[in-house]
Each structure stands twice: as C-alpha cells, then as structure tokens.
Amino acid sequence: NKQFTKSPLQQAAARYATCHENCKVKMKTKFRKLFWIRLALGLALFVILILFLINRLLLNPQETKNLTLILVFLALLFLSYLSLDLFKVFSLRVSENGIEITFLITKKKKYIPFNTISSIEKEKITLRNAQGNITDGYYISILKFENERLIISPDSFENYEDLMIEIKTKLNNQHVA
C-alpha cells in the first residue's frame, strides 16, 4: 500500500484544471490609466536617452568610450527596472472557488483556491520625505496562502475596492460552507 504524493507542479496543474472545469469568472482586474501612463513614460524616456546617446556616438566618434559606458549603464539600469517591476505585474480573475493570477510579461498563470488562503492583511503605504509625510497614504491588501504572499494594491488596479470586496465575500463563503 504505497501512498503516491503529487509533486508541487502536478498539484498546481490539478488546481488550474479544476478552476477551468467549474469556475465561472466573477470579476477581472482593471488597470488604472495612470499605471499604463507611468509605464509608457518610463519606456519613452529610456528610448529617448538611448537614441540621444547613439546620436552623440555617431556625431562624435572620439567620445566612444565614455558614451558606450553610459549607454551600457542605462541599458542595465532599465533592465533592472524591468526585472524588479514589470515581471511582477499581474492581473487577477476572481471566480467562485479561487483567484487566477496571470503575469503580464510571461503570461504564466497561477491558481489560488480560496480554501488555501489563510488571511488577508491590510498595510498602509505612506510616502515620506525629510519634512514628513507627502500624502496621507493608501492601504494595500496582502493575501497569505501556502507560505506565500500576494500583494494587491490600489496603485495598480482601478477596481481595487470592488475586487477586495469580492475576494472577501468569496473567502467568507468558503469558510462558512
């Protein structure tokens, strides 16, 4: 009588298949316009700086060493920005039984059943400088599940409040049933 245990990959695939078999999507995230504007401005600024440096390289070849160094530094800075922020950007789909996360850059999907979520915590984010608070701040929600955390922020999602109400309602229904 051997007991067979599924690998974490098999467990994730089973949860994902379960979601697609019997989950009707109740709510999807909507990204704030400011989120896309901020992303586009960062990309535009990077492209303008690169084009400027390439133009300077072509017009003044004796500055090649210095400008090449600056060009490589800017490219590395932009790639670090991408790796820190853009690869973590995700959209959510809330269904009857769980939450489906889709990472925007990689298109990787992850499914979190409501029965695996242990808690939802709120944390206040306040922007400060040397003189004190810049703003009153805003709250983010942290979903804790299976030794992991998912941060849902109103800074990214236009329908943050509706999304959190839906998640909390579904989570309460799971714990009551």
Side-chain angles (χ1 to χ4, degrees):
N1 290 343
K2 287 185 179 179
Q3 289 186 345
F4 294 101
T5 58
K6 292 182 179 179
S7 72
L9 184 61
Q10 290 171 326
Q11 291 172 356
R15 285 195 311 257
Y16 186 74
T18 301
C19 174
H20 285 286
E21 289 171 7
N22 61 11
C23 295
K24 295 179 182 171
V25 175
K26 295 292 182 185
M27 180 176 284
K28 296 180 185 179
T29 51
K30 297 176 189 170
F31 286 99
R32 291 179 60 206
K33 289 177 182 73
L34 187 59
F35 171 80
W36 294 114
I37 291 170
R38 185 174 59 208
L39 190 65
L41 285 176
L43 184 61
L45 181 63
F46 173 73
V47 169
I48 288 169
L49 282 172
I50 294 294
L51 290 175
F52 174 75
L53 289 173
I54 290 172
N55 187 26
R56 291 281 310 260
L57 265 171
L58 295 175
L59 293 177
N60 197 354
Q62 60 263 28
E63 288 185 26
T64 302
K65 183 179 177 184
N66 292 339
L67 288 176
T68 304
L69 183 64
I70 293 170
L71 190 66
V72 168
F73 176 74
L74 279 175
L76 289 174
L77 190 65
F78 184 70
L79 289 176
S80 67
Y81 164 74
L82 283 179
S83 67
L84 294 176
D85 272 350
L86 285 182
F87 288 107
K88 295 179 183 177
V89 176
F90 59 87
S91 65
L92 296 176
R93 295 170 63 155
V94 180
S95 65
E96 284 292 329
N97 299 320
I99 303 168
E100 182 180 86
I101 304 168
T102 304
F103 293 91
L104 293 185
I105 299 295
T106 62
K107 299 297 183 203
K108 179 182 166 189
K109 293 186 179 196
K110 183 175 186 175
Y111 183 70
I112 306 168
F114 285 122
N115 61 3
T116 63
I117 298 174
S118 58
S119 67
I120 299 176
E121 296 176 0
K122 282 189 126 179
E123 187 175 304
K124 188 171 186 174
I125 303 297
T126 306
L127 300 175
R128 302 180 55 94
N129 65 11
Q131 288 78 28
N133 292 347
I134 296 174
T135 66
D136 291 337
Y138 60 93
Y139 288 94
I140 61 170
S141 295
I142 303 170
L143 275 65
K144 293 188 174 185
F145 61 97
E146 298 177 350
N147 298 323
E148 292 184 54
R149 297 168 17 136
L150 176 67
I151 299 173
I152 303 175
S153 171
D155 192 37
S156 299
F157 302 121
E158 184 178 304
N159 60 341
Y160 168 81
E161 291 295 330
D162 296 334
L163 190 65
M164 290 313 301
I165 289 170
E166 186 73 20
I167 290 171
K168 287 176 183 176
T169 302
K170 300 293 182 206
L171 192 58
N172 287 337
N173 290 345
Q174 289 285 325
H175 289 298
V176 170

